[in-house]
Amino acid sequence: MENLLKRITINPDIAHGKPTIRNTRYGVAYILEYLAGGDTVEYLLEEFKDLEKEDIMACLAYTAQMANTKGFQISA
């Protein structure tokens, strides 16, 4: 899981400092919204040619880690 998490970057100069994939403008939340909406990993890889399966898995791993962090809250 640690190797996957290295794919998630936080850079104040990209996407307003929100977590992204490998310093791109693909935000973790953006990818998760697609998955939550029912899109498959295969669909995302077809639509976004520069993403790798490990990038999507990294988004899930990052979110799992954040959900286990004290103070994590879901906004309404």
Side-chain angles (χ1 to χ4, degrees), residues 7-19:
R7 292 175 173 265
I8 305 301
T9 54
I10 298 174
N11 182 334
D13 296 327
I14 299 174
H16 306 286
K18 293 181 180 179

Side-chain angles (χ1 to χ4, degrees), residues 1 8 12 16 27 40 45-48 50 55 58 62 64-66 74:
M1 186 155 134
I8 305 301
H16 306 286
T40 64
L45 295 174
E46 188 175 308
E47 283 296 306
F48 307 105
D50 47 344
D55 295 327
Y62 178 81
Q65 182 179 14
M66 291 297 100
I74 297 174

Side-chain angles (χ1 to χ4, degrees), residues 36-62:
D39 291 319
T40 64
V41 171
E42 293 76 20
Y43 172 81
L44 293 175
L45 295 174
E46 188 175 308
E47 283 296 306
F48 307 105
K49 302 289 186 197
D50 47 344
L51 286 183
E52 300 171 359
K53 182 178 180 179
E54 290 79 10
D55 295 327
I56 298 168
M57 296 296 106
C59 290
L60 295 171
Y62 178 81

Side-chain angles (χ1 to χ4, degrees), residues 24-37:
T24 66
R25 296 205 178 271
Y26 293 124
V28 170
Y30 181 68
I31 298 302
L32 294 172
E33 287 173 5
Y34 274 101
L35 294 171

